[in-house]
């Protein structure tokens, strides 16, 4: 037997042992604490039984990462309708496996196992592993000055109101400064490469009637970074307008590090303790029709637990879902998030996302927070943002054993960042809007297509899962 076959059998054995148990009155009574989580009758009728997989090919192309290909897959263990958990959980267990490779040698492997209400108890367990290298990360600064117009790394006095104008200007050849080539481009000066290895273990416990949960977890990461000074990159001849190539100039990230504005570019080991208090009444986590979700989440990192960095991150998030009385399945969904990073020398990479037990959120910009702006377009120590979507189902169909539902989701996003949480207010708000399309594959896998529009850019996103 091969190692791959042996591993597959071990995983299946674990899942079947963990998620299957006798069905009797005593077990059903023990599940009274999750009665509020019962799915709608319409969704329950369509929920698929047994074990199945969903997967999508992943193709992309980027001037830095090159051509990429891979697969995004989910393996579900739903159990049978006779299982007392069937009507109350999105699945008995889910294994997510994402793999991608790019011609620039960028690569990604993500494995995630989620087992809610383990063996019918109040416990939920999650295990996440990630190994990735991404040379297409963006950095525009790490203070509230980023809410202004775009600025060239080599000329902060010149601003641009659109990303297209900014991108053209930074590719335009300029005379090199001290330590640079005679003529350089800034095409890669807002980019950096991150290499990450991460293991995360989480467990939460349902309290009382099951609406409240407490969670704790531990994460260990190793991060390393590289900027692109001197590397050959796209350029534009300012006289002829012809496209050419030239060495890249100094990067904004490297300059901020050298000037002591940020820390963490040297990378290293990060050890994190995670805690959260959660209130959750959603009827179906992947695609709710009603309910509320509220969390207070915290990450603590210190040399006392083996980390090379000291910081504390607090994130508060509230979501609401309400089915409307028109259409077959029309839901208004809203979210509000507020976050702050404590610690004078918190590393720059912790400014890039807000941690949530539901999954990290890019802050601020990108498909998870402010669609219509580039990922991490606005960074600072504190932030708030909000999202609103109207999710309207158009049609449903069944192909063999596969069930599909199709819908649209117009959306509105807004938010801003500040250097101190005391200064969070409604000034200098950035907003975007757009239209999304949703494909629900066997209910639990939601394929999202979003076209976001802002004053600065127009961006199209494709992914698995709702934005929130």
């Amino acid at each position: 037997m091969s190692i791959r076959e042996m591993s597959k059998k071990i995983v299946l054995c674990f899942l079947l042992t963990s998620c299957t148990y006798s069905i009797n009155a005593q077990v059903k009574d023990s599940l009274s604490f999750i009665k509020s989580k019962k799915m709608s009758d319409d969704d329950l009728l369509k929920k698929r039984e047994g074990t199945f997989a969903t997967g999508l090919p992943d193709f992309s192309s980027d001037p830095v990462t090159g051509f990429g290909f891979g697969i995004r897959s989910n393996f579900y263990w739903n159990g049978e309708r006779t299982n007392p958990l069937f009507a109350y959980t999105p699945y008995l267990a889910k294994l997510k496996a994402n793999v991608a490779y790019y011609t620039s040698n960028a690569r990604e492997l993500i494995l995630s196992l989620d087992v809610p209400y383990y063996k019918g108890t109040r416990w939920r367990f999650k295990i996440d592993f990630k190994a990735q290298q991404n040379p297409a990360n963006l950095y525009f600064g790490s203070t509230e000055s980023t809410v202004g117009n775009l600025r060239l790394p080599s000329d902060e006095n010149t601003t641009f109101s659109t990303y297209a104008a900014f991108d053209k200007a930074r590719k335009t050849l300029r005379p090199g400064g001290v330590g640079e080539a005679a003529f350089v481009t800034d095409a890669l000066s807002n980019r950096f490469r991150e290499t990450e290895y991460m293991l995360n273990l989480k467990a939460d416990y349902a309290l009382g009637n099951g609406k409240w949960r407490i969670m704790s977890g531990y994460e260990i990461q190793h991060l390393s970074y590289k900027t692109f000074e001197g590397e050959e990159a796209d350029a534009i001849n300012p006289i002829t307008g012809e496209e050419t190539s030239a060495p890249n100039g100094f990067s904004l990230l490297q300059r901020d590090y050298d000037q002591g504005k940020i820390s963490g570019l040297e990378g290293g080991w990060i050890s994190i303790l995670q805690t959260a208090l959660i209130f959750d009444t959603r009827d179906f986590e992947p695609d709710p029709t009603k309910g509320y979700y509220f969390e207070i989440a915290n990450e603590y990192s210190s040399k006392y637990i083996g980390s090379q960095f000291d910081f504390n991150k607090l994130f508060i998030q509230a979501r609401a879902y309400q089915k409307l009385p028109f259409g077959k399945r029309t839901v208004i969904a809203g979210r509000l998030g507020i976050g702050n990073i404590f610690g004078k020398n918190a590393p720059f990479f912790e400014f890039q996302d807000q941690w949530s037990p539901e999954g990290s959120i890019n802050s601020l910009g990108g498909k998870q927070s402010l669609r219509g702006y580039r990922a991490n377009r606005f960074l600072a120590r504190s932030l708030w943002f909000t999202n609103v979507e109207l999710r309207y189902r158009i049609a449903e169909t069944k192909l063999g054993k596969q069930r599909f539902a199709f819908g649209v989701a117009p959306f509105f996003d807004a938010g801003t960042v500040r250097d101190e949480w005391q200064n969070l207010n409604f000034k200098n708000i950035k907003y975007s809007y757009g239209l999304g399309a949703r494909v629900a594959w066997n209910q639990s896998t939601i394929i999202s297509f979003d076209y976001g529009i802002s004053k600065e850019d127009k961006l199209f996103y494709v992914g698995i899962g709702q934005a929130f």
Side-chain angles (χ1 to χ4, degrees), residues 135-439:
N137 286 288
L138 294 172
Y139 177 79
F140 301 96
S142 58
T143 68
E144 64 181 75
S145 64
T146 56
V147 298
N149 287 336
L150 291 157
R151 301 171 185 269
L152 291 174
S154 58
D155 181 11
E156 293 189 342
N157 295 321
T158 304
T159 63
F160 303 88
S161 59
T162 67
Y163 195 88
F166 165 74
D167 193 45
K168 181 178 179 180
R170 67 178 181 172
K171 291 179 180 178
T172 301
L173 283 172
R174 63 172 177 83
V178 178
E180 296 179 322
F183 288 92
V184 296
T185 174
D186 288 316
L188 304 181
S189 294
N190 292 95
R191 293 183 180 250
F192 65 92
R193 186 177 74 196
E194 178 183 68
T195 304
E196 175 186 11
Y197 298 93
M198 181 274 289
L199 177 65
N200 182 269
L201 308 173
K202 293 191 291 287
D204 69 50
Y205 185 81
L207 303 172
N209 60 10
K211 295 180 181 180
W212 288 94
R213 307 200 311 268
I214 54 174
M215 193 226 77
S216 63
Y218 175 73
E219 181 171 297
I220 183 75
Q221 291 176 293
H222 186 272
L223 298 171
S224 58
Y225 296 95
K226 175 180 171 53
T227 52
F228 301 111
E229 289 86 358
E231 293 200 13
E232 202 74 8
D234 294 338
I236 298 174
N237 188 310
I239 299 175
T240 64
E242 293 180 353
E243 295 183 358
T244 182
S245 62
N248 195 64
F250 281 130
S251 78
L252 178 60
L253 181 61
Q254 184 68 55
R255 188 191 68 184
D256 281 1
Y257 179 75
D258 292 341
Q259 294 178 357
K261 295 180 180 180
I262 64 163
S263 64
L265 187 57
E266 69 277 15
W269 288 98
I270 301 93
S271 178
I272 299 173
L273 292 179
Q274 301 168 327
T275 54
L277 176 65
I278 303 166
F279 176 78
D280 189 1
T281 63
R282 294 171 298 174
D283 58 349
F284 186 61
E285 289 178 23
D287 192 15
T289 63
K290 64 179 181 179
Y292 301 93
Y293 178 88
F294 173 79
E295 70 179 19
I296 302 175
N298 191 81
E299 284 192 314
Y300 171 76
S301 178
S302 167
K303 61 183 178 182
Y304 299 111
I305 57 172
S307 181
Q308 293 179 227
F309 302 95
D310 295 319
F311 61 87
N312 198 72
K313 292 174 67 174
L314 177 66
F315 182 58
I316 301 173
Q317 178 183 189
R319 307 180 191 175
Y321 306 88
Q322 180 61 53
K323 189 174 182 180
L324 301 180
F326 60 87
K328 191 170 184 178
R329 192 181 193 276
T330 306
V331 177
I332 183 75
R335 172 173 65 175
L336 174 66
I338 304 173
N340 188 71
I341 302 174
F342 300 91
K344 289 185 178 180
N345 293 317
F348 82 94
F349 48 80
E350 290 300 331
F351 286 58
Q352 297 179 106
D353 65 71
Q354 298 295 319
W355 175 76
S356 163
E358 293 274 291
S360 294
I361 303 167
N362 280 112
S363 55
L364 188 64
K367 65 181 179 181
Q368 296 171 311
S369 58
L370 201 57
R371 291 161 285 190
Y373 287 96
R374 306 275 165 156
N376 298 324
R377 171 62 182 88
F378 311 106
L379 290 188
R381 189 172 292 273
S382 304
L383 86 163
W384 72 260
F385 65 93
T386 188
N387 314 101
V388 179
E389 289 188 0
L390 182 64
R391 300 169 181 173
Y392 179 80
R393 181 159 293 179
I394 298 174
E396 298 180 16
T397 188
K398 191 173 182 181
L399 300 174
K401 293 183 178 181
Q402 310 299 313
R403 184 181 291 275
F404 298 91
F406 306 90
V408 295
F411 61 83
F412 177 82
D413 305 330
T416 192
V417 299
R418 294 291 185 271
D419 292 331
E420 297 180 344
W421 66 266
Q422 297 93 331
N423 295 330
L424 285 173
N425 53 35
F426 297 102
K427 296 180 180 179
N428 296 323
I429 296 175
K430 299 297 180 179
Y431 65 88
S432 62
Y433 58 91
L435 181 64
R438 304 287 183 266
V439 179

Side-chain angles (χ1 to χ4, degrees), residues 23-200:
I23 302 162
N24 52 49
Q26 183 178 358
V27 172
K28 290 182 179 180
D29 289 342
S30 71
L31 298 176
S32 61
F33 65 90
I34 57 171
K35 284 185 177 180
S36 64
K37 304 283 289 180
K38 187 176 181 180
M39 299 170 60
S40 67
D41 292 339
D42 187 49
D43 284 345
L44 182 57
L45 184 65
K46 300 166 187 172
K47 186 177 179 182
R48 182 172 172 178
E49 295 180 280
T51 301
F52 59 93
T54 60
L56 290 173
D58 184 12
F59 297 99
S60 61
S61 180
D62 184 275
V64 176
T65 58
F67 177 75
F69 56 92
I71 187 169
R72 297 180 180 273
S73 60
N74 291 296
F75 300 88
Y76 294 96
W77 288 263
N78 273 2
E80 305 301 320
R81 291 188 180 277
T82 52
N83 190 313
L85 279 175
F86 191 83
Y88 299 92
T89 62
Y91 39 77
L92 294 180
K94 180 181 80 168
L95 176 65
K96 178 174 73 175
N98 295 346
V99 181
Y101 178 80
Y102 299 82
T103 52
S104 64
N105 204 32
R107 57 196 70 190
E108 174 186 79
L109 170 64
I110 297 176
L111 299 173
S112 179
L113 177 65
D114 180 17
V115 184
Y117 303 112
Y118 174 75
K119 287 189 175 181
T121 68
R122 295 172 177 265
W123 288 99
R124 180 175 194 162
F125 299 102
K126 293 183 179 181
I127 303 173
D128 299 295
F129 172 78
K130 182 198 296 185
Q132 64 101 14
Q133 182 183 85
N134 183 5
N137 286 288
L138 294 172
Y139 177 79
F140 301 96
S142 58
T143 68
E144 64 181 75
S145 64
T146 56
V147 298
N149 287 336
L150 291 157
R151 301 171 185 269
L152 291 174
S154 58
D155 181 11
E156 293 189 342
N157 295 321
T158 304
T159 63
F160 303 88
S161 59
T162 67
Y163 195 88
F166 165 74
D167 193 45
K168 181 178 179 180
R170 67 178 181 172
K171 291 179 180 178
T172 301
L173 283 172
R174 63 172 177 83
V178 178
E180 296 179 322
F183 288 92
V184 296
T185 174
D186 288 316
L188 304 181
S189 294
N190 292 95
R191 293 183 180 250
F192 65 92
R193 186 177 74 196
E194 178 183 68
T195 304
E196 175 186 11
Y197 298 93
M198 181 274 289
L199 177 65
N200 182 269

